[in-house]
Amino acid sequence: MTLDADRLEADAPAPAPESQRARMGRAPVTTHGELSHLALGLFLERGFDKTTVDDIVRAAGIGRRTFFRYFASKNDLPWGDFDRLLDEMRAHLAAMPDDIPLMDALREAVVDFNRFPDEELTFHRERMWLLLNVPSLVAHSTLRYASWRQVIAEYVARRLGVGIDSLTPQAIAWSCLGLCLAAYEQWLAHDDADLLELLDASFRRLAAAYSSAA
C-alpha cells in the first residue's frame, strides 16, 4: 500500500454498523460546536466511559485524524471551544476601566463568560452535568479549572500590582471558581433556576463579604 493510500485510510471514517448506516447520509460534522453537541448526546445516551472516539467519529461521519484536529482527547469534548472562551474572557477583563471595583469587574466578566444563546442552554446544562458528575471528567477538569483561574489571577495581579503567584490573586481566583461551581450545582438542581442570576448573586455576596471584612 502506498503512503498516500495510508493517509487516506487513516482519515477515513470508522466503518459504521448496519444500524447506523442510515445516519451517515447526512453531511459530516464540520465545526467544533457540532462535534461537541453530538458527543454530548452520545455520552448521555450511552454513558461517557462506554462511548469511544470511534463511536463519535462514526456518528459524525469524520475520520479520527479530523477528530483530533478539533479535540486532543475524548475528555475535552464536553468543554467545547473552551480555549476561545477563555481568550474572550481575558480580552473582556483587559478592556475594563481600572476604576471599576475589582469584584464588580470579575462578576461582569464571569457572567458574560456563561452567557449563551437560548438554543445553547440545554447543551450547557448537559455539559456541566457531565463535568460535575462523571469521575473521569471531574479529574480531567482540574486542568481546565487551572486555566480558568489563571485568567482571573492575571487580572487581579495586574489590578493590585502584585505577582500572579502571590496569595491575593490566587485566593480570589480560587474563590471565583468556588462561586461558579456552587452556582452550577444550584442551576442543575433546579430546572427553573437562571444560571446568570445565580452567578450574579453569588459574586455580589462575596463582594459584600470582602467589603465588610475590610
Side-chain angles (χ1 to χ4, degrees):
M1 183 177 289
T2 66
L3 180 59
D4 287 342
D6 287 340
R7 289 174 177 168
L8 289 172
E9 183 177 336
D11 202 32
E18 298 237 353
S19 61
Q20 293 185 5
R21 283 178 189 162
R23 300 177 62 189
M24 300 298 289
R26 68 183 183 186
V29 169
T30 56
T31 71
H32 226 108
E34 288 175 344
L35 188 54
S36 179
H37 291 170
L38 183 148
L40 287 173
L42 292 177
F43 294 154
L44 293 169
E45 176 186 341
R46 305 178 184 183
F48 178 81
D49 293 325
K50 292 182 179 179
T51 304
T52 67
V53 170
D54 283 339
D55 292 332
I56 296 165
V57 300
R58 185 179 300 125
I62 60 175
R64 288 175 62 90
R65 182 177 297 174
T66 300
F67 172 89
F68 288 114
R69 282 202 292 265
Y70 286 110
F71 294 96
S73 71
K74 185 180 79 169
N75 286 353
D76 291 306
L77 276 159
W79 292 91
D81 202 356
F82 186 70
D83 291 336
R84 177 183 61 80
L85 293 175
L86 283 185
D87 287 342
E88 290 179 357
M89 184 167 74
R90 182 179 281 110
H92 189 154
L93 287 166
M96 287 187 178
D98 285 348
D99 58 356
I100 296 177
L102 178 62
M103 290 307 300
D104 287 349
L106 293 173
R107 172 176 52 80
E108 181 180 326
V110 170
V111 168
D112 188 71
F113 180 82
N114 287 274
R115 195 183 304 279
F116 292 90
D118 290 344
E119 62 270 19
E120 283 288 318
L121 284 177
T122 297
F123 293 112
H124 193 40
R125 185 180 285 270
E126 292 171 348
R127 176 181 298 117
M128 292 313 305
W129 187 91
L130 288 166
L131 293 176
L132 293 176
N133 289 280
V134 176
S136 53
L137 286 174
V138 172
H140 179 73
S141 294
T142 58
L143 301 174
R144 295 297 194 170
Y145 292 152
S147 298
W148 189 92
R149 294 197 323 271
Q150 179 79 2
V151 175
I152 299 295
E154 286 173 1
Y155 176 74
V156 174
R158 185 187 67 77
R159 284 285 304 264
L160 300 181
V162 299
I164 188 173
D165 293 327
S166 57
L167 178 61
T168 300
Q170 292 298 320
I172 291 177
W174 276 102
S175 298
C176 290
L177 177 62
L179 292 175
C180 290
L181 294 177
Y184 283 132
E185 287 182 348
Q186 290 294 310
W187 183 48
L188 294 174
H190 305 283
D191 290 339
D192 60 344
D194 184 295
L195 176 59
L196 300 186
E197 291 179 359
L198 290 169
L199 288 166
D200 184 87
S202 64
F203 270 77
R204 289 183 185 278
R205 290 171 186 172
L206 182 64
Y210 279 152
S211 297
S212 62

